[in-house]
Amino acid sequence: MEIFDNGLAVVVEPQPWNPGLSFTLLVPAGAVNDPPDRLGAASMLETWLWKGAGPRDARAFADALDALGVRRQSGAGVEYTTFSASLLPEGFSAVLELYADLVRRPQLPEAAFASVKALALQELAALEDQPPRKLLGRLRREAFASPHGQPVEGERETLERMTAAALREEFSRRYGPRGAVLAVAGGVEPGEVFRTARKHLGSWEGATAEPVEPRLSEPHRFHIEQDTEQVQIGLFYRDVSPGDYDFYAARLAAAVLSGGMSSRLFTEVREKRGLVYAVSASPGSVKGLGYLIAYAGTMPERARETLEVLAAEIARLREGVTREELDRAKVGLRADLVLAGESSQARAAALARDAFVLGRPRSLEEVEAEVMDVTLERINAFLSRHPYENPWIGTLGPEEVGA
């Protein structure tokens, strides 16, 4: 990894066997930086940036990328916005020049602003048709005392009030190189990547929002009343943060809970008792803090029992896992690593996130070694001193679920 004078970190992972390459440009501009009266700004900006950059309007910009055979995607999240591309190596310099225009010289045309706002409002409205997503978004907001719980989609009131001038201000104060990461994986030579990155992004300037420390509220319950036929249940538990010695012990414990049809939640909550149509547990993290979110969807008459059994199964982890469960969880995580290693796109995204969250990239071999280093004694000692108890509890449905 090389850090340029302007603060941009550049990471390269050569894959000599790969005839293509992928890169991810991560900019630390996410929902966590949205001012309270401009919730949704990061997401709207990500959409607006594609409406023309440098000397090209939106159509010419898209045509230039298509002519280079680029497969592209982008998105705003809680802590950052990413712009990714997969392409042939010979087009790297030309494509990176276009992406440099995107983050350095966007046109942000007034004529496109109304459509950007309309799209943001449509995406927010779509949440009403996705009760699980609506509940889990609210669960994050209830759990975090810091702005990490702010909705990426924004709120109707703040989106409707958003102006083009306000969004341009947000771009000016957030789209700088300090803390940004360019991660490249594929059939590339590192020296050439650094030279090309310096050519197109070495003189990038601009302000960057200050990092925000994650803080949690006190665990509590809440209910969202909505006239639905099903009840959605969400639990939020504090967990170890990325980089912690026990991080992969926690990841393997989550896989024991929810790593397939033989996992504890699927077996105990769905198969044995028939309480739910969907159940899962997913680890997550922000910079400096980890968490575990559990979810279940059930019928109103089974909601209370589902909540009790779900919480009890997660709390039962403190009694430890079996060797068979640990071995199965390791196989699952290793399979994920192998599949990720075959994809330059997945590797570029992982390298960018590692550089942002941990301050350094990690190889697949390093991650695999950390996973395999978790013994049965180590994971059970971790679970004994780190019980998953006292969660934040959220429900969505026609009636509040009894305690």
Side-chain angles (χ1 to χ4, degrees):
M1 183 170 78
E2 184 174 332
I3 300 179
F4 292 174
D5 290 342
N6 61 2
L8 172 70
V10 181
V11 181
V12 188
E13 183 175 283
Q15 297 175 332
W17 47 265
N18 194 335
L21 73 82
S22 297
F23 69 78
T24 292
L25 179 58
L26 180 155
V27 181
V32 70
N33 312 119
D34 288 345
D37 60 343
R38 293 178 179 177
L39 297 181
S43 182
M44 286 185 69
L45 260 179
E46 180 270 322
T47 302
W48 203 14
L49 291 175
W50 290 102
K51 302 302 182 181
R56 300 173 178 86
D57 62 16
R59 178 59 184 272
F61 194 86
D63 286 348
L65 290 172
D66 289 343
L68 291 163
V70 179
R71 301 293 179 265
R72 57 194 180 274
Q73 62 183 29
S74 61
V78 173
E79 296 182 286
Y80 50 76
T81 299
T82 56
F83 303 90
S84 300
S86 297
L87 59 145
L88 296 175
E90 56 265 30
F92 177 56
S93 182
V95 175
L96 189 60
E97 182 177 9
L98 289 167
Y99 274 59
D101 281 343
L102 197 68
V103 298
R104 299 180 64 186
R105 294 176 286 272
Q107 294 183 359
L108 302 179
E110 190 81 26
F113 179 75
S115 65
V116 170
K117 178 187 284 192
L119 180 60
L121 287 166
Q122 290 172 25
E123 291 177 347
L124 181 63
L127 281 177
E128 295 303 312
D129 299 323
Q130 303 174 64
R133 186 179 164 202
K134 179 179 179 180
L135 170 67
L136 295 180
R138 173 71 177 277
L139 180 60
R140 284 180 52 91
R141 194 164 192 178
E142 292 282 341
F144 279 101
S146 60
H148 292 80
Q150 293 186 160
V152 176
E153 303 86 0
E155 294 180 338
R156 174 165 293 277
E157 182 181 358
T158 59
L159 294 178
E160 289 178 341
R161 282 206 314 264
M162 198 78 71
T163 64
L167 214 51
R168 289 192 184 99
E169 286 180 7
E170 291 304 308
F171 174 81
S172 295
R173 80 178 187 89
R174 288 200 258 181
Y175 266 74
R178 181 168 57 87
V181 180
L182 173 67
V184 184
V188 292
E189 194 277 315
E192 183 60 29
V193 170
F194 291 129
R195 286 190 292 272
T196 302
R198 194 175 297 281
K199 175 183 177 183
H200 298 303
L201 294 169
S203 60
W204 181 13
E205 298 177 344
T208 305
E210 289 299 316
V212 180
E213 280 293 316
R215 292 179 294 105
L216 295 177
S217 65
E218 289 297 316
H220 59 275
R221 297 177 66 130
F222 69 91
H223 177 71
I224 303 173
E225 186 172 337
Q226 188 166 325
D227 187 16
T228 57
E229 294 184 1
Q230 292 86 31
V231 173
Q232 316 298 322
I233 299 170
L235 307 179
F236 183 108
Y237 297 83
R238 180 163 188 160
D239 213 339
V240 295
S241 61
D244 188 283
Y245 173 72
D246 288 315
F247 181 74
Y248 281 102
R251 283 295 187 267
L252 288 164
V256 169
L257 275 179
S258 185
M261 296 180 67
S262 58
S263 64
R264 289 189 180 185
L265 294 185
F266 189 91
T267 300
E268 298 295 330
V269 184
R270 176 170 169 161
E271 293 299 292
K272 287 187 178 180
R273 294 176 173 84
L275 291 172
V276 301
Y277 60 87
V279 64
S280 63
S282 304
S285 64
V286 296
K287 192 172 184 176
L289 189 145
Y291 55 86
L292 178 76
I293 289 182
Y295 162 77
T298 187
M299 303 302 293
E301 63 271 18
R302 315 291 310 264
R304 180 170 182 170
E305 183 182 1
T306 298
L307 174 56
E308 292 172 350
V309 174
L310 179 63
E313 277 303 311
I314 296 171
R316 191 166 67 88
L317 279 175
R318 67 177 177 271
E319 300 171 10
V321 303
T322 67
R323 183 169 300 280
E324 180 183 3
E325 288 177 319
L326 177 59
D327 289 345
R328 190 165 53 236
K330 284 186 176 182
V331 168
L333 281 186
R334 290 184 68 195
D336 290 342
L337 289 171
V338 169
L339 293 174
E342 295 296 315
S343 167
S344 60
Q345 183 178 14
R347 285 303 298 150
L351 291 167
R353 177 168 172 77
D354 275 354
F356 174 79
V357 173
L358 302 175
R360 67 179 185 87
R362 296 175 301 170
S363 68
L364 283 171
E365 291 76 16
E366 179 183 350
V367 176
E368 182 177 9
E370 290 188 24
V371 171
M372 297 308 294
D373 192 46
V374 179
T375 64
L376 184 65
E377 294 74 21
R378 178 178 159 190
I379 189 173
N380 285 339
F382 163 72
L383 291 171
S384 176
R385 66 175 181 271
H386 181 87
Y388 290 89
E389 297 174 339
N390 195 26
W392 290 255
I393 301 174
T395 55
L396 181 152
E399 296 181 358
E400 188 168 359
V401 179

